[in-house]
């Protein structure tokens, strides 16, 4: 019973390149959340998606960042023209019900993005 | 503004000793409070979830308490083991999505080191 799968685990990009982070939720989960974590900082909400729908992207920068969760396949967090400040750990979490308020979120092990 | 403050920021104890981690929050209206354990390089894993009416909840050697009146929670670890070395994150859930679309406000965590 696989958990939330994220890949790659580590990603190195030069400034100006594109980064694509993938997340496959737990089986049966249709809600996906993306978070960013900087060293010594708490997890920061970025975006909440359901299949083929972005429910809320209020935590995601308006430029260069986008996310999708297609009908088939993993959720993708895409960062265009990366800058050094994008270096962070990006975590994906999934839940079977809306909002995650009453059920634990299941987290993947993250993708560590390093921008050189 | 919804906030979650954790203390201490870091803690070092000897294997076999007990310890208590603190969490104060100002999230309102309150829905539930969660403690997560995050091993280095991994995603957070849920330890406990407590609702307004619950004062204490245990998960093995982990015992969480909640005082909804003073808006404080603690996580007590008994007979610590080397594998307890991790960051412990307090997360408070608000009704009506007070902390991002996921309704969650994350603390920055307490970094616990167990020494042999």
């Amino acid at each position: 019973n696989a958990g939330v799968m994220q890949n790659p685990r580590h990603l190195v990009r030069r400034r100006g390149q594109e980064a694509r982070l993938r997340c496959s939720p737990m089986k049966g989960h249709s809600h996906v959340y993306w978070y960013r974590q900087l060293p010594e900082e708490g997890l920061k909400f970025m975006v909440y998606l359901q299949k083929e729908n972005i429910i809320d992207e209020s935590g995601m920068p308006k430029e260069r960042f986008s996310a999708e969760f297609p009908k088939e396949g993993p959720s993708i967090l895409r960062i265009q023209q990366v800058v050094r400040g994008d270096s962070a750990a990006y975590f994906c979490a999934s839940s079977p019900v809306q909002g995650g308020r009453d059920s634990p979120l299941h987290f993947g092990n993250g993708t560590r993005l390093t921008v050189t | 503004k919804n906030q979650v403050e954790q203390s201490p920021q870091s803690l070092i104890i000897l294997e076999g000793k007990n310890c208590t981690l603190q969490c104060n929050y100002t999230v309102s209206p309150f829905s539930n409070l969660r403690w997560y354990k995050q091993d280095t390089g991994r995603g957070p894993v849920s330890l406990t979830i407590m609702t307004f009416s619950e004062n204490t909840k245990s998960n093995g050697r982990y015992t969480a308490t909640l005082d909804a009146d003073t808006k404080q929670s603690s996580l007590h670890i008994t007979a610590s083991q080397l594998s307890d070395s991790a960051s412990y994150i307090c997360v408070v859930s608000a009704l009506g999505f007070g902390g991002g679309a996921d309704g969650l406000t994350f603390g920055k965590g307490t970094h616990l080191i167990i020494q042999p």
Side-chain angles (χ1 to χ4, degrees):
Chain A
N1 189 15
V4 178
M5 304 300 293
Q6 288 188 250
N7 66 80
R9 289 297 309 277
H10 301 274
L11 182 61
V12 179
R13 284 287 178 267
R14 291 199 183 98
R15 279 180 297 170
Q17 290 185 319
E18 178 181 286
R20 280 186 180 235
L21 288 62
R22 295 175 185 77
C23 169
S24 296
M26 282 185 71
K27 187 176 180 180
H29 288 192
S30 57
H31 301 264
V32 166
Y33 310 79
W34 285 94
Y35 294 86
R36 179 160 71 175
Q37 186 177 42
L38 294 169
E40 311 305 322
E41 294 290 326
L43 286 136
K44 302 295 185 188
F45 167 79
M46 297 182 72
V47 60
Y48 164 39
L49 310 103
Q50 294 178 28
K51 287 278 187 182
E52 300 184 280
N53 275 312
I54 297 175
I55 306 303
D56 194 303
E57 54 186 350
S58 60
M60 197 159 64
K62 299 251 186 287
E63 296 183 359
R64 302 190 298 107
F65 285 73
S66 62
E68 62 177 11
F69 189 14
K71 186 177 180 180
E72 301 290 338
S75 175
I76 305 288
L77 178 67
R78 182 182 177 204
I79 311 173
Q80 295 178 292
Q81 299 175 322
V82 296
V83 301
R84 288 218 172 108
D86 296 332
S87 295
Y90 292 84
F91 288 94
C92 169
S94 71
S95 74
V97 295
Q98 177 182 357
R101 284 172 296 173
D102 300 321
S103 63
L105 292 178
H106 297 265
F107 285 87
N109 284 326
T111 292
R112 275 139 194 89
L113 172 65
T114 302
V115 179
T116 61
Chain B
K1 181 182 177 184
N2 290 334
Q3 287 188 315
V4 174
E5 300 289 338
Q6 290 189 244
S7 62
Q9 187 174 358
S10 60
L11 180 63
I12 302 174
I13 64 171
L14 292 176
E15 185 180 10
K17 298 295 186 183
N18 304 335
C19 66
T20 300
L21 314 179
Q22 301 291 342
C23 173
N24 296 339
Y25 63 92
T26 57
V27 176
S28 181
F30 176 84
S31 176
N32 61 65
L33 184 144
R34 313 151 184 230
W35 283 94
Y36 283 85
K37 178 186 179 188
Q38 185 176 20
D39 292 315
T40 301
R42 313 279 291 199
V45 175
S46 178
L47 294 175
T48 63
I49 297 179
M50 288 187 293
T51 59
F52 184 88
S53 59
E54 296 175 295
N55 299 119
T56 303
K57 184 167 276 190
S58 292
N59 178 358
R61 294 180 295 103
Y62 301 104
T63 299
T65 65
L66 174 64
D67 186 335
D69 291 331
T70 61
K71 297 187 178 179
Q72 295 179 326
S73 175
S74 65
L75 180 69
H76 186 74
I77 305 175
T78 305
S80 61
Q81 300 176 359
L82 296 178
S83 59
D84 293 330
S85 294
S87 286
Y88 291 83
I89 303 170
C90 177
V91 185
V92 182
S93 175
L95 293 171
F97 304 111
D102 60 345
L104 303 177
T105 303
F106 288 77
K108 292 183 179 181
T110 291
H111 186 49
L112 176 64
I113 297 174
I114 310 298
Q115 288 187 336

